[in-house]
Amino acid sequence: MAIHQDLAGLLKESVSEYLHVAHECLTHQKAEGGVYGFPAALLLFTILDTIGSFHRGDKSFSSSIDGKNRLIDGDGFKHYFILNTSYYSQTLTEAQIKKLYYYYRCLLSHNASLAPGRGLEVGSLGEPLFSIDPSGAILSIRLLPFYHQSVTAADQFLKRVGSILKTSAQATTINKKS
C-alpha cells in the first residue's frame, strides 16, 4: 500500500490486492465450513466493474451484446458489457447483464444481500462462470471459475493499462480529483 501519483501504478496495486484477497477468501475454510464467498464475489465484481469503467467511452472498444457491437457508453450495468469481450469471454444478453448487475453486484455492494432465489457456489475449474436456467435466468455465480477468469482479465487489463488510461474518460475524471 502506497501513495500513488500515477493511476496506472495505483491500479496495478489495487487490482492485484483484490485478486489476492479474493483468492484467500476462496481458499481459507471458515470454522463452520465453507469459504468466504460473499467478500470474494464482491471483490471479483469490483475488478470486473473497474475494467469496464476504464473502457467507458472508448469508441475503438466494443462488446457483442445480443448480436450487435455495443460500446460501453454509460456507467452502471454498461460496465458489465466487458463480460462479452476477450477479458471474460462470455456471451450474455443485455437482459442477463442487467440482472447480474442489479441482483448480484448492487445488492452485494449496498445491502450485503442477493436477490431471492439467487446464490453463490464455489464451483469447479472448467465450469461456466454462471449457472443459468433454461429461461436464461442467472441462478448463481460460480466463484472459482469467476476468480480464474478474473485473473486472466486483470492480467490483460494491467498489461495494457498505460495505453487504456490515455484515452479513458474514467481516468480523466479520476485525475481531475487531485
Side-chain angles (χ1 to χ4, degrees):
M1 195 168 75
I3 295 176
H4 293 274
Q5 300 304 320
D6 133 283
L7 187 53
L10 184 142
L11 286 167
K12 287 177 183 177
E13 183 174 7
S14 64
V15 170
S16 296
E17 285 185 8
Y18 289 168
L19 280 172
H20 177 79
V21 174
H23 182 263
E24 291 296 313
C25 289
L26 292 172
T27 56
H28 182 83
Q29 292 291 311
K30 296 188 289 188
E32 62 276 11
V35 299
Y36 292 94
F38 291 102
L42 185 56
L43 290 166
L44 297 174
F45 279 121
T46 299
I47 293 166
L48 188 160
D49 208 350
T50 297
I51 296 170
S53 75
F54 283 100
H55 283 287
R56 185 177 68 232
D58 182 350
K59 291 180 177 26
S60 69
F61 186 86
S62 66
S63 177
S64 178
I65 310 289
D66 298 324
K68 298 177 187 163
N69 284 336
R70 299 281 303 273
L71 299 176
I72 300 173
D73 59 0
D75 57 7
F77 79 90
K78 290 187 177 182
H79 290 173
Y80 280 48
F81 285 2
I82 203 76
L83 284 162
N84 287 12
T85 69
S86 64
Y87 285 109
Y88 287 90
S89 304
Q90 300 301 296
T91 56
L92 301 171
T93 66
E94 183 169 349
Q96 288 173 315
I97 290 170
K98 281 181 181 179
K99 288 180 179 175
L100 187 64
Y101 181 78
Y102 292 113
Y103 290 0
Y104 290 93
R105 183 269 189 201
C106 289
L107 289 177
L108 275 171
S109 296
H110 304 296
N111 306 107
S113 353
L114 296 174
R118 303 303 186 262
L120 303 174
E121 57 184 289
V122 174
S124 300
L125 291 180
E127 285 187 297
L129 275 55
F130 312 111
S131 172
I132 301 174
D133 76 7
S135 74
I138 297 174
L139 301 176
S140 68
I141 309 298
R142 293 187 178 114
L143 294 171
L144 199 55
F146 188 21
Y147 166 77
H148 282 280
Q149 190 61 49
S150 295
V151 169
T152 299
D155 185 55
Q156 284 180 40
F157 176 70
L158 294 176
K159 282 181 179 172
R160 300 178 36 230
V161 72
S163 62
I164 291 168
L165 295 180
K166 289 177 185 173
T167 59
S168 171
Q170 183 73 344
T172 301
T173 300
I174 290 170
N175 285 325
K176 285 181 181 177
K177 295 180 186 273
S178 61

